[in-house]
Amino acid sequence: MMVRMPPLDAATLLMVIAVIDAVACVVWLALGDVLRIAPRASRRISAHHGLLALSWWPALPASMERLVGLPLDLVAAGFLTAGARALTRNRANARDIVAIVLLGFVAVACTAGDPDRDRARAFSSAIVGGLALMAARDVVVGTGFRLAFTGVLILPFVAFAVVCFWRTATLLGWLPAAYVLASPGTNVPLVLLILIVDVTMATGLIALVIQRLIARVRHLMRRDALTGLLNRRALEEHLARMQARTERGRRNAVLMLDVDHFKRINDELGHAGGDAALKHLSSVLGATLRDADCFGRLGGEEFAILLPDTDLDGAMLVAERLRELLQKQPLAWGDKLWPISASFGVATMQPGDVNGQGALSRADALEHAAQTRGRGRALRPAGGAGFDRLFL
């Protein structure tokens, strides 16, 4: 004899949602505070799930809905939007989110004298729906995913917003009775929809975290650990792309520079002082370069700068400007100022070079020649006016 399973009721489903949100609260808190993955965003999303767990728990008396339940929903939605914004590294602050949540508090509070709680529910649903749309907008603007995948990510936010606005319209009597969405406490399909949306939103936010981790790994793979500049691998990738543009007739140049008397700096200041000198050079020179320029450390005290759309004369002017900046801004170490200079080799990229390595080799040879001729100067290939320019 087959035993029929009792049908699911709304209260049980609400308890399931509350348990899922409670677990998600702990998971996000661990991501942020234990694993240090997007701590600010993780704490906000953890707070969102924690507040929802309290809000959805069926044991909350109906009389506490206006005083506790609806405010919890508003604050939870605010934390969700702020968390999504932080995950997308949107530069905008959260003041607009706080203002909208406060507006929701005021709207709910204005219904305090009304024995019917439908208006309070309607106002709360409208604010929550608006916050969900803001989260969707931040995901669209701030992620680097392809359009199709971004659409999948924002779908649960949009669906949740639609349900919230629909519920607002029905609670205010703007839709016929046949379209009214009953309270989640009695409407099993509505609770199922909320469960699906809750899980899919959480999944989408996890995808954003994974994107952050992948971006961080890629950044670390392309950056020098000491100076934060491009490493040799990243420079060679940019060099190959510039060579392809050179083959199409564009003018591009390469600078090589080596810190003068770096061994002496290391001997006198120690390795910590030598590291400080390299970071100082990176900061001083990097601040004056164009966004299109590529500045990287090849290894040791040797650096390279790729200058797209720059001819030989222009590259020499850049080298001179960098040398003067370095001379005017000595390293402050201990209670003394330590002058730092560098020798430069300047070369242009030529058609036929393999991945631009020819230009890099020519600039490297000229940089070594500049060091043997007294340091603190830049050399350019023979055949042009001003074969070398002393930086005195």
Side-chain angles (χ1 to χ4, degrees):
M1 180 178 178
M2 294 183 62
V3 179
R4 296 185 63 183
M5 296 292 293
L8 286 175
D9 60 279
T12 301
L13 288 175
L14 286 175
M15 188 174 295
V16 170
I17 296 175
V19 171
I20 291 175
D21 281 315
V23 172
C25 172
V26 175
V27 170
W28 279 102
L29 195 60
L31 286 175
D33 289 346
V34 178
L35 300 180
R36 305 301 299 171
I37 299 174
R40 183 178 62 171
S42 295
R43 292 190 192 107
R44 292 174 177 179
I45 298 172
S46 174
H48 158 74
H49 285 292
L51 293 173
L52 277 188
L54 294 174
S55 176
W56 289 122
W57 195 257
L60 188 67
S63 59
M64 299 293 290
E65 181 182 12
R66 185 155 31 201
L67 184 63
V68 178
L70 297 181
L72 283 177
D73 290 342
L74 290 169
V75 177
F79 274 121
L80 174 65
T81 305
R85 179 172 293 178
L87 276 180
T88 60
R89 290 182 175 174
N90 192 318
R91 293 182 180 272
N93 58 43
R95 291 177 184 174
D96 56 338
I97 299 173
V98 173
I100 292 174
V101 172
L102 291 177
L103 177 63
F105 284 168
V106 172
V108 171
C110 288
T111 67
D114 190 346
D116 187 356
R117 291 189 291 271
D118 279 352
R119 277 204 310 145
R121 293 166 179 162
F123 293 152
S124 175
S125 291
I127 295 296
V128 170
L131 289 169
L133 286 183
M134 287 176 61
R137 180 205 62 189
D138 289 336
V139 171
V140 170
V141 173
T143 61
F145 294 127
R146 293 181 179 178
L147 182 61
F149 191 58
T150 301
V152 173
L153 284 181
I154 67 170
L155 183 60
F157 292 95
V158 175
F160 184 59
V162 169
V163 170
C164 287
F165 294 142
W166 187 355
R167 188 160 183 256
T168 297
T170 58
L171 289 170
L172 294 177
W174 296 348
L175 290 177
Y179 296 99
V180 170
L181 290 176
S183 169
T186 59
N187 190 330
V188 173
L190 178 59
V191 179
L192 278 174
L193 179 59
I194 291 172
L195 174 61
I196 294 171
V197 169
D198 194 29
V199 172
T200 51
M201 277 197 297
T203 304
L205 292 173
I206 290 292
L208 292 180
V209 170
I210 294 173
Q211 183 210 31
R212 286 277 298 268
L213 288 174
I214 293 173
R216 182 187 300 179
V217 170
R218 286 177 176 173
H219 177 81
L220 293 175
M221 289 178 62
R222 297 173 57 82
R223 294 286 168 172
D224 174 63
L226 176 64
T227 62
L229 301 177
L230 296 173
N231 59 21
R232 189 182 195 100
R233 174 181 177 181
L235 272 173
E236 289 179 345
E237 291 175 358
H238 283 289
L239 191 65
R241 287 194 285 269
M242 284 177 57
Q243 181 62 38
R245 292 194 289 268
T246 300
E247 302 294 339
R248 296 194 292 269
R250 303 275 287 274
R251 292 182 176 182
N252 302 298
V254 177
L255 301 184
M256 289 280 293
L257 60 136
D258 199 297
V259 180
D260 295 332
H261 303 295
F262 185 70
K263 185 177 184 303
R264 183 187 303 170
I265 296 174
N266 259 339
D267 292 341
E268 295 185 8
L269 304 182
H271 289 295
D275 289 347
L278 296 178
K279 289 190 283 188
H280 174 75
L281 178 145
S282 304
S283 175
V284 170
L285 302 190
T288 190
L289 294 172
R290 303 171 301 178
D291 291 340
D293 299 334
C294 300
F295 186 18
R297 182 186 179 199
L298 295 174
E301 66 273 22
E302 197 168 41
F303 298 80
I305 302 174
L306 311 183
L307 303 173
D309 299 313
T310 306
D311 59 15
L312 187 58
D313 289 334
M316 284 295 292
L317 291 174
V318 172
E320 184 173 0
R321 185 178 75 250
L322 297 179
R323 163 56 175 80
E324 290 174 351
L325 279 172
L326 200 57
Q327 184 183 37
K328 293 176 181 178
Q329 301 185 47
L331 170 68
W333 184 256
D335 57 351
K336 295 182 179 180
L337 295 177
W338 296 83
I340 298 176
S341 65
S343 300
F344 292 78
V346 182
T348 54
M349 302 182 70
Q350 303 296 330
D353 287 342
V354 179
N355 294 327
Q357 293 295 324
L360 199 64
S361 298
R362 292 190 293 272
D364 184 48
L366 289 164
E367 174 258 305
H368 285 294
Q371 286 196 323
T372 62
R373 296 190 183 194
R375 295 182 173 85
R377 64 174 69 193
L379 291 182
R380 60 188 286 172
F387 168 72
D388 65 348
R389 296 182 182 181
L390 287 174
F391 292 156
L392 300 175

